[in-house]
């Protein structure tokens, strides 16, 4: 019989606590019920700071050693503490947000960083390739060991920017990783040592630290992969300090968020400020506005919420803070969940039920606006049928006729929707997310959703059948990233084979240009460089990663 372990601790930060101002007994019973499904899983825990009361409770079959508090990897939540580290240097006037980063990083990376400032890295307006995508390109999953040398290999590449600096705010781990390197350069200490000395040790967060090669503590923190009928232990090491690589306990995190809740310093206030890069580039994301503390903030039913989440190798973590209500909620798990934030939000619903404003409910249902459609004509077919491509996001879509009905086909998800002509220039597409319009343009179509358009260019028929010379068949290698891929032809169909022997169909979108269904190799461009074929790989988070064809000379180097 499996043993179920429940752990409860109530501890105080002040001596004048008044019970009843925080979590009531009835509320705690409701909260505990949210976690009942985890009695037979590896650890899932919650921590609550409400006014002056602090509670933490653990559920499940814990691997906790009674002599050692249970530790968790925090994934992307590490970036919050990286922001604190760089802002502490700014507060001490050891560095300025307006400083250009090139002098600090010239020996570390080969990225094109002219004009990029510390502020750009902190506000995600640097335009550099996306860190997590580059890890994925290396074939590193959340369960694979990732060492500092792996991260260094990424940034030693002469990578192209995703977009010009300052053009767009795009949330990424790139800034946090590079900011940690700047902290090391300015302080003369490893990032792990600096954060220990300046943050964790003063607050007596004794079991919290960033991993790196100099960390002497045990880095083999165990998580679990849900296999359906059992949980498989996983030893995951992500030592890329700055963007990830942070280990902590529930007790330590409650110390930090209690400290953040009480401290009135300028630095702590800045952590919770929303980033506004400039008049036209702001930090609005689907998760809310980005704060300087690398969290997200927005108003929920009249209440300001600041939140954050992370997941890595079977660990998940989330934080929900409500500053005006003196409430912070921390959720930690190591049972294979990739997101546990729903537990935090349900906990907040219980504790703030009397604080939230009523949800708006219209007195009467809005009338459904019927859009008049017309019969499908031959001219509409000729105008819209064909393949379409978005060159920024590498999206390939198709409009075709099936059973005398226009259909919009998304090959990424193998989904098809009926299209109804409104007039010669507009089509209506009905999906489970609502009604949208497809509008014809001189060169393709605009897919209009909630007032925002996604433009796709129509591909000529000869672009879809562009032949590839046999000289491009063979294997290719990126020496810096130690990656290999191959281009092969079988029965007139082209495939890409990666270093893990996965194979992906190459779909033609132009002369020597292809897309695949793999996020690692979303867009493939082949070209001759002198007499030698080369492959360039792009995806959402990076552009033009080069691979040279393997021949005798490259084999010698490999």
């Amino acid at each position: 019989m499996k043993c179920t372990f429940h752990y409860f601790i109530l501890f105080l930060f002040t001596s004048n606590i008044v019970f009843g101002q925080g979590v009531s007994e009835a509320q705690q019973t409701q909260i505990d019920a949210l976690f009942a499904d985890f009695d037979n899983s590896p650890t899932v825990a919650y921590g609550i700071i409400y006014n002056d009361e602090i509670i933490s409770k653990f559920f499940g079959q814990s691997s906790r050693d009674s002599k050692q508090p249970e530790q968790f990897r925090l994934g992307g939540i590490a970036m919050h503490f990286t922001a604190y580290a760089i802002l502490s240097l700014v507060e001490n006037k050891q560095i300025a947000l307006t400083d250009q980063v090139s002098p600090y990083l010239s020996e570390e990376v080969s990225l094109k960083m002219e004009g990029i400032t510390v502020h750009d890295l902190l506000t995600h307006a640097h335009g550099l390739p996306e860190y997590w995508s580059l890890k994925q390109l290396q074939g590193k999953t959340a369960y694979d060991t990732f060492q500092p040398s792996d991260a260094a290999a990424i940034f030693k590449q002469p990578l192209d920017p995703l977009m010009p600096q300052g053009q767009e705010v795009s949330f990424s781990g790139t800034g946090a990783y590079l900011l940690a390197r700047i902290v090391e350069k300015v302080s003369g200490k490893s990032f792990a040592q600096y954060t220990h000395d300046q943050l964790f040790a003063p607050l007596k967060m004794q079991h919290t630290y960033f991993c790196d090669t100099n960390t002497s503590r045990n880095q083999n923190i165990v998580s679990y992969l849900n296999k359906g009928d059992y949980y498989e232990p996983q030893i995951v090491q992500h030592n890329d300090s700055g963007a990830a690589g942070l280990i902590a306990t529930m007790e330590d995190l409650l110390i930090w968020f209690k400290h953040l809740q009480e401290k009135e310093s300028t630095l702590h206030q800045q952590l919770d400020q929303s980033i506004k890069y400039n008049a036209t580039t702001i930090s609005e994301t689907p998760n809310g506005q980005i704060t300087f503390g690398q969290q997200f903030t927005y108003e929920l039913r009249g209440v300001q919420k600041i939140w954050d989440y992370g997941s890595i190798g079977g660990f998940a973590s989330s934080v929900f803070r409500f500053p005006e209500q003196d409430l912070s909620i921390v959720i930690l798990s190591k049972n294979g969940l990739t997101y546990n934030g729903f537990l935090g939000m349900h906990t907040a619903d219980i504790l703030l039920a009397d604080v939230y404003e009523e949800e708006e409910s219209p007195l009467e249902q809005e009338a459904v606006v019927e859009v008049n459609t017309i019969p499908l004509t031959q001219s509409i077919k000729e105008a819209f049928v064909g393949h379409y491509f978005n060159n920024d996001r590498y999206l390939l879509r198709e409009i075709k006729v099936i059973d005398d009905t226009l259909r919009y086909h998304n090959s990424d998800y193998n989904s098809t929707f009926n299209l109804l002509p409104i007039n010669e220039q507009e089509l209506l597409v009905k999906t489970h997310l609502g009604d949208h319009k497809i509008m014809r343009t001189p060169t393709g179509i605009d897919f209009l959703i909630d007032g925002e358009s996604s433009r796709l260019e129509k591909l000529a028929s000869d672009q879809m059948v562009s032949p590839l010379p046999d000289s491009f068949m063979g294997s290719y290698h990126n020496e810096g990233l130690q990656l290999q891929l191959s281009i092969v032809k079988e029965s007139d169909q082209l495939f890409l084979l990666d270093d893990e022997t996965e194979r992906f169909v190459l779909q033609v979108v132009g002369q020597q240009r292809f897309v695949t269904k793999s996020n690692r190799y979303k867009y493939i461009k082949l070209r001759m460089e002198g007499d030698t074929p080369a492959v360039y790989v792009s995806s959402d988070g990076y552009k033009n990663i080069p691979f040279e064809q393997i021949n005798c000379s490259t084999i010698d180097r490999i």
Side-chain angles (χ1 to χ4, degrees), residues 315-331:
F315 295 96
S317 51
S318 55
V319 177
F320 297 87
R321 300 167 49 224
F322 302 87
E324 294 301 317
Q325 287 70 40
D326 288 330
L327 171 64
S328 296
I329 301 166
V330 179
I331 309 292

Side-chain angles (χ1 to χ4, degrees), residues 316-526:
S317 51
S318 55
V319 177
F320 297 87
R321 300 167 49 224
F322 302 87
E324 294 301 317
Q325 287 70 40
D326 288 330
L327 171 64
S328 296
I329 301 166
V330 179
I331 309 292
L332 299 177
S333 58
K334 55 169 62 179
N335 65 345
L337 284 174
T338 56
Y339 179 69
N340 58 22
F342 61 94
L343 295 165
M345 281 309 300
H346 289 326
T347 300
D349 290 342
I350 292 168
L351 296 175
L352 299 179
D354 296 332
V355 178
Y356 282 142
E357 294 178 356
E358 290 292 328
E359 293 188 86
E360 294 183 7
S361 55
L363 295 177
E364 42 186 68
Q365 186 71 25
E366 292 184 8
V368 177
V369 178
E370 292 291 339
V371 177
N372 294 325
T373 60
I374 63 174
L376 178 62
T377 64
Q378 185 61 33
S379 61
I380 293 176
K381 291 180 185 178
E382 292 174 355
F384 283 99
V385 168
H387 287 86
Y388 296 84
F389 186 63
N390 179 293
N391 200 51
D392 294 321
R393 298 180 58 203
Y394 314 120
L395 305 178
L396 179 64
R397 302 292 184 258
E398 183 182 7
I399 295 178
K400 52 189 176 181
V401 177
I402 300 177
D403 298 331
D404 205 36
T405 302
L406 280 180
R407 306 285 183 92
Y408 178 87
H409 181 61
N410 179 338
S411 59
D412 291 346
Y413 298 99
N414 197 28
S415 57
T416 302
F417 301 101
N418 289 348
L419 300 173
L420 304 174
I422 300 172
N423 52 52
E424 294 280 330
Q425 303 297 321
E426 294 179 286
L427 304 174
L428 181 70
V429 52
K430 290 180 174 291
T431 74
H432 65 286
L433 297 176
D435 295 352
H436 312 295
K437 284 185 179 180
I438 291 179
M439 307 176 69
R440 188 180 174 193
T441 70
T443 59
I445 57 173
D446 275 351
F447 202 156
L448 191 63
I449 303 175
D450 296 331
E452 296 186 5
S453 64
S454 178
R455 177 155 295 185
L456 292 91
E457 303 299 321
K458 193 171 186 178
L459 298 175
S461 57
D462 60 347
Q463 289 177 283
M464 301 301 299
V465 294
S466 177
L468 186 67
D470 288 341
S471 58
F472 283 100
M473 305 304 156
S475 296
Y476 296 80
H477 182 71
N478 181 299
E479 186 173 0
L481 297 177
Q482 288 296 295
L483 293 175
Q484 185 171 315
L485 54 83
S486 299
I487 307 293
V488 299
K489 183 190 292 184
E490 295 179 8
S491 303
D492 293 328
Q493 176 66 65
L494 290 173
F495 296 90
L496 181 145
L497 277 64
D498 72 1
D499 50 349
E500 297 176 353
T501 68
E502 288 191 77
R503 53 195 288 129
F504 306 97
V505 173
L506 287 170
Q507 174 68 60
V508 182
V509 293
Q511 186 175 11
Q512 298 172 10
R513 297 187 301 136
F514 308 87
V515 292
T516 81
K517 292 185 179 181
S518 167
N519 285 329
R520 288 178 70 188
Y521 316 106
K522 204 165 187 179
Y523 180 62
I524 304 294
K525 182 168 58 179
L526 298 107

